[in-house]
Amino acid sequence: AFLGCEFKKEVAAAKKTGAALDQTSIRHLRHTRTMAKEPAKILFLDDSKDLRELMEAFLASALGEKCRCFSNLMEFENHIEEVLRARVAIIDINLGPNVPGGIEAFQWLKDHGFQGKVLFFTGHARNNPQVALAEQSGVEILEKPLRPDKLISTVRCALRETK
């Protein structure tokens, strides 16, 4: 979404000045429109709005795949068809106080027949009870701060595994 918004601003500015769009910009516009029509292949669940916006733009840019972000389990539930069509779900283990966390989101995905790959990420120590539960699930856990190269290679591998 962020990249698409920036491109729209670029197009509007070019129209105002009468400037021509270069071929790279035209290809980006076509790719952005195509991605908007396709279901998201990557889901990202985190309670931080800033991190969701960053990840949506970063994953789309680095992998060329649509990423759909959610802030809580209820949003997952409200978009069940889209969620279940995705191939990779990246879930923060701790989604904030007094709300269902990443473990509950993982269980919800399993209960609803999610066929994709789940990746957890956390900023908590391995001795945290939620992290210990996540480890028992057999799901790969990425640790914050997320290293861009590790994140990209892990998600790329997960996408290949779920074709």
Side-chain angles (χ1 to χ4, degrees):
F2 173 76
L3 296 175
C5 291
E6 290 301 309
F7 184 77
K8 288 174 188 171
K9 290 177 187 174
E10 183 182 325
V11 170
K15 285 181 180 176
K16 280 183 183 178
T17 62
L21 294 171
D22 64 15
Q23 289 300 315
T24 303
S25 296
I26 292 168
R27 279 193 301 275
H28 178 73
L29 176 60
R30 287 184 183 136
H31 181 70
T32 301
R33 285 184 180 161
T34 301
M35 280 181 61
K37 294 176 187 175
E38 296 175 1
K41 291 183 182 174
I42 304 167
L43 307 173
F44 186 77
L45 177 60
D46 189 80
D47 58 326
S48 166
K49 183 179 185 222
D50 291 339
L51 186 55
R52 288 191 311 269
E53 290 175 355
L54 176 69
M55 291 299 285
E56 182 177 27
F58 176 70
L59 291 169
S61 174
L63 295 170
E65 299 290 355
K66 185 174 179 181
C67 177
R68 177 78 154 87
C69 296
F70 299 92
S71 62
N72 57 55
L73 180 55
M74 187 182 300
E75 285 185 2
F76 256 26
E77 293 169 347
N78 291 337
H79 295 89
I80 188 168
E81 289 181 20
E82 181 180 9
V83 167
L84 295 179
R85 284 193 310 249
R87 293 180 26 211
V88 177
I90 306 167
I91 302 174
D92 188 2
I93 291 175
N94 184 0
L95 295 172
N98 305 315
V99 297
I103 302 299
E104 290 84 1
F106 172 69
Q107 188 61 51
W108 183 89
L109 288 170
K110 282 179 44 177
D111 291 348
H112 287 83
F114 182 69
Q115 297 296 309
K117 177 143 177 143
V118 175
L119 304 169
F120 283 126
F121 70 98
T122 186
H124 296 280
R126 292 279 177 178
N127 61 356
N128 178 294
Q130 288 185 329
V131 177
L133 278 174
E135 287 177 328
Q136 291 173 7
S137 71
V139 173
E140 184 170 355
I141 300 174
L142 303 171
E143 294 184 21
K144 291 180 185 175
L146 297 170
R147 288 189 8 242
D149 59 330
K150 171 73 172 163
L151 177 65
I152 294 303
S153 66
T154 302
V155 174
R156 187 174 282 137
C157 182
L159 286 167
R160 276 194 303 268
E161 290 175 11
T162 58
K163 279 191 176 186

